[in-house]
Amino acid sequence: MSAQIDSKKTVFNTAMLYLMTAAKLIFPLVTLPYLCRVLTVDSYGVVTYVKSCMTYFQLFIDFGFILSAVKDIVDANEDNDKIGYITGQVIVARLCLSAASFVVLIIISLAIPLLRVNFLYTLLSFIVVAMSSFLLDFLYRGIEKMHLIATVFVSMKSISTLFTFVVVKDDSDLLLIPILDIISTLVAIVINIIQLNKLQIKIRFENFKTSFDMIKNSWTYFISNMATTAFSVLNTVLIGIFITPKEVAFWGVSLQLISAVQNFYTPINNGIYPQMIKAKSFAPIKKILMIFMPIVIAGCVFVFVLSEPIITIISGEQYAGAVPVFRALIPVLFFSFPGMLLGWPTLGAIGKVAETTRTTVITAIVQCAGLGLLIVFDAFTLMNVAIFRCITEALLMILRASYCFKFRSEFQ
């Protein structure tokens, strides 16, 4: 008899992930105007540049465990001994990846003047990323206690945000920014330890071989995440090379708003993923599509009609020129919701990891090839890039839908 989706649990977990997503958007928006005011342009440039670099180190250290380790913990079937063992091995795997990342950090800091001149700030920021090895987000997702993730995240961000306003007054306080993040992360780790004791989960480690095997097994998940990230970086880099700075600003504003909406798709996918691993039924996916696609369509129409006031109210009258680009990117919102839902929560839940990754890699290759053709034929404009971005998002959805149809017999 197949497992059934626990609707109440899924809704609660999804709501908690929405809370965390909202917090991720709100806390940076709170500190951004303040830091821009108290720091010089050069110092704030250091903050944003180092933060961008740390994003990729974080991606490498996480290494897809947010998907692979969640699956392992769900498969442990509430056996706390197995869950503790999996958690311990993942922590060690992350620490090994952190050590490798540190070597890379030294090399690129020697090569990049901005990082070399601000090496202490860079090093302190990296320590925060390495400490994230002990933030057990994958564990709480696997045991479907997402409210514990939200508690940890909101606690640590509240601490760092509050004290940023208290202690950071000018450029001389620059190093206090990562130090506050280190302190808040330590608090989060302590909260994790308390929660583990309450859950009666004892972390244990046996050997490095198992941890390396976990890294190997998580490779496909990592490639999938890296393909998407690498594509985004290339997209931005090429836009910065081939078009004017003013148009770069228009692209940045438009893409930031699109990405903000997409962030609210993620909790639905993460919320249903553990239940899908258990049930392996397409019925809840169909139900979600029937409920949310009309909302997505209505939202796309609403945003298209009100594009101009949305852009000018959020970014100012000087960004009115971004409206056509923003409108051209709106189809991304339509295609990305089913595209994301048919990926890891659907194909990944029935073990089609390679197929899910293949759809991402193919789409990234097509997008990069398309950008190359636009450059060769002297057609590299914001509108053309935006249109091609919509085409590749549609391609991703179609590829994943075709795999779901191909493997339809494997759903319960």
Side-chain angles (χ1 to χ4, degrees), residues 121-141:
Y121 182 90
T122 304
L123 179 61
L124 290 172
S125 299
F126 177 78
I127 290 173
V128 177
V129 175
M131 289 172 66
S132 69
S133 301
F134 299 98
L135 299 179
L136 311 178
D137 47 352
F138 63 90
L139 167 63
Y140 298 124
R141 292 178 194 268

Side-chain angles (χ1 to χ4, degrees), residues 24 41 100 147 152 186 240 299 355 382 411:
K24 285 182 178 179
V41 174
H147 62 287
V152 171
L186 280 172
E355 288 79 1
L382 276 187
F411 292 100

